[in-house]
Amino acid sequence: MDYRKLGQDITELVGKKENIARLTHCATRLRFELHDISKAETEKLKALPDVITVVNNGGQYQVVVGNEVQQVYRVITQQMGSATRSADSKSDSGKNNGPKQKQSWISRFISVISTTFTPVIPAIIGAGMIKAILAVLVLTGLVTTESQNYYILNTIADAAFYFMPILLAYGASIKFETSPIMAMTVAGVLLHPGWSALMTEGKDVFFIGVPVRLTDYAGSVLPIIIVVWLMSYIERFADRVSPSMIKFFTKPMIVLLITAPLALVAIGPFGTYLNDLVAMGAEAINARASWLIPLLMGTLQPFLIVTGTAWAMTPIATSQLTKNGYEMINGPGMLASNIAQGGATLAVALKTKNKKLKQLAASSGFTAVLGITEPSLYGVTLKLKKPLIAAMIGGGVAGIYAGLTGLVRYAFVSPGLAALPAFIGSNPMNIVHAIVTCLIAFIVTFALTCIIGFEDPVDDEEEGNTNVNDDKTLSSQPVQDNTPDTKSAAATNANVLNQNEIHSLMIASPMQGELVHLDRVPDDVFSLGLLGKGAAIIPVKGELYAPIAGEVTAFMDSKHAVKLNGYNGEEILIHIGVDTVNLKGRHFDSSIKVGDQVQQGDLLISFDIDAIKAEGYEVITPIIIANSDRFPDIKLEKQRSVEVGATIMHLS
């Protein structure tokens, strides 16, 4: 995957970097908050080859890109200049430039929770996995609970949960556009050993005559979020009233002097009360109908993910984990739902005759049963609908079992087969119930998907196209052409091809060099066939010629890539080198432009091989059949040295 190109495309299509108010990411999604949602070009974003789908819910504009999200996130934040907009990036009035989209209070709440928790997820998942490993070590007798090894590992695992307010202060500061360091400092006040000492003494505490409720804030969630929200206003006030000459000293002093006492005296106890109230409500439901919450979570989890509301229960779950050492709000139902999602998708992989869908369903189904369901949900079940219904039924049935047996999760991890150790704890039967929950979810969903079926998409737009090519034929992937449509002769002739006839087309070598398989290209976008089938040439002479007769339909300003639409329906993308877009046209020369008609053998681009290599770039050149789905059989000639005009591929 070309992360740089994808990041640039996404930034452009969400309305350019100026339209991005805030950006975070989770396991598979870029989570944007945009100044003006109308500037985002959703359909074009969905059409990008490496974008699974786009979701606009929960106060966020979410671009789902799969497991490569972190690399794409880094590219976009580099383009923005910073991962988030800090308080210093606001105008003097403390307000953001640009219109704000109106949101319901539910959307605002979910947006706050999502943005606040997203940066914290790696820490709590890492801590949760250590807890899970520790549980396995204890279960197998390799470590005892009285040993120093256990004590040290348990301390490492507990740290993220104990200091949760400090971690959340960072995420909340991003959401409320205030100083992260000041927010984390106020959180440190809530967790200071001096405060713990006052609680241990048990004496009445007063601050300037006002009674202070002694509350343990370790692992708390809502108090610090409310505190940081208030601090964002206090910081703006301090910025306005502080003289510019001494603002460096007075602004942080005012923020701490006002925020910290308010946090200890009023906001913290109020937030704790809200936190406890919500937790007691969930526990009351669980006490009277233990099956209800896992049933709802197991059934509705896909809906919660799609609508962006899956974050709503996270504060309760983390609070339960911190206080009780286990939680029953998220984990059991999510385990049932994730395994069911994987079962439905793997059933699709087994039954479909569409090669592309089979490949996608097999990989995303395996990922789903491990605990990451977005590729499965957005790429397969949501599109096919019936498998999604089967997954919701299977997840609900397994959720009932999980609830009736009292299944709990002992560590914060994404529930799935890879995280089953997180269900090992003080109750030895808990892991057994977790395994049975997985079996019920998978078997019920898999069987239902096979029984009710689904509408299998026709492979390559032609029924019966089930060719299995030899290992000389490169892997096929769906292709999306994002260049502007043209009413060219090439496009017209392509449309009149008789789909019931087999046409054999020969593609000529566009350059002199060594013909190699596409997997030799050190870029996953090309080597994995994500843009289509093709070949590659390692050039020995810096000249690129037209491999077919047709029209230039795309030509990069950097002159390193060109796309031709042939008169027989073929679409050829040629990309000189890897990451050579960064050269911005240096060492390339061409006079062609979009719309030019060319003949096979016409010189398109000249380039300096030695100069490109000297700047650290590969010159291996992919030649891609951009509409590979139109040609069921694409064969590559034997790898060898080739001259310009020699046949390198055959298209049927």
Side-chain angles (χ1 to χ4, degrees), residues 131-414:
K131 281 275 191 184
I133 293 171
L134 197 55
V136 174
L137 292 176
V138 172
L139 185 68
T140 55
L142 296 175
V143 171
T144 64
T145 55
E146 291 79 23
S147 68
Q148 292 182 347
N149 290 333
Y150 177 89
Y151 182 84
I152 291 173
L153 287 174
N154 196 52
T155 299
I156 294 171
D158 280 343
F161 294 97
Y162 182 87
F163 293 104
M164 182 70 69
I166 295 178
L167 303 181
L168 293 177
Y170 173 77
S173 69
I174 293 173
K175 174 62 182 176
F176 299 122
E177 299 181 349
T178 189
S179 167
I181 295 300
M182 295 300 292
M184 294 164 73
T185 301
V186 173
V189 172
L190 300 179
L191 299 175
H192 194 277
W195 184 254
S196 300
L198 287 174
M199 293 183 61
T200 302
E201 291 178 6
K203 297 179 180 178
D204 293 337
V205 177
F206 296 85
F207 178 74
I208 58 174
V210 179
V212 179
R213 177 186 173 185
L214 296 176
T215 302
D216 183 6
Y217 294 104
S220 62
V221 174
L222 292 182
I224 191 60
I225 295 176
I226 299 172
V227 167
V228 175
W229 169 70
L230 181 65
M231 196 192 89
S232 66
Y233 290 96
I234 295 172
E235 186 179 44
R236 296 169 195 172
F237 167 77
D239 186 71
R240 286 198 304 270
V241 301
S242 297
S244 58
M245 290 184 62
I246 57 173
K247 183 179 293 188
F248 181 79
F249 305 100
T250 58
K251 180 179 174 180
M253 179 190 70
I254 293 172
V255 170
L256 279 178
L257 274 178
I258 298 176
T259 308
L262 280 174
L264 293 172
V265 173
I267 304 171
F270 174 71
T272 302
Y273 174 75
L274 286 180
N275 203 93
D276 292 345
L277 190 64
V278 174
M280 285 189 297
E283 289 175 2
I285 294 173
N286 194 66
R288 289 169 173 77
S290 61
W291 51 269
L292 181 58
I293 293 178
L295 164 64
L296 294 175
M297 292 297 293
T299 304
L300 300 179
Q301 183 68 15
F303 173 77
L304 297 178
I305 292 174
V306 170
T307 58
T309 54
W311 290 95
M313 305 296 282
T314 304
I316 307 173
T318 52
S319 177
Q320 285 187 336
L321 276 169
T322 303
K323 291 186 176 182
N324 305 328
Y326 60 84
E327 66 88 18
M328 75 287 288
I329 297 297
N330 271 1
M334 286 179 64
L335 177 66
S337 177
N338 290 355
I339 298 298
Q341 192 70 219
T345 309
L346 290 174
V348 170
L350 178 68
K351 288 181 66 66
T352 183
K353 293 181 172 59
N354 185 299
K355 290 182 292 184
K356 302 183 188 71
L357 179 59
K358 185 180 290 290
Q359 180 180 2
L360 173 63
S363 60
S364 61
F366 177 73
T367 304
V369 296
L370 292 181
I372 302 297
T373 60
E374 281 88 347
S376 167
L377 174 62
Y378 291 119
V380 181
T381 60
L382 190 62
K383 292 180 178 179
L384 298 179
K385 297 181 179 62
K386 287 184 179 179
L388 177 61
I389 295 172
M392 294 175 71
I393 294 172
V397 172
I400 293 175
Y401 174 85
L404 291 175
T405 56
L407 181 65
V408 298
R409 178 175 58 165
Y410 292 101
F412 194 102
V413 291
S414 182

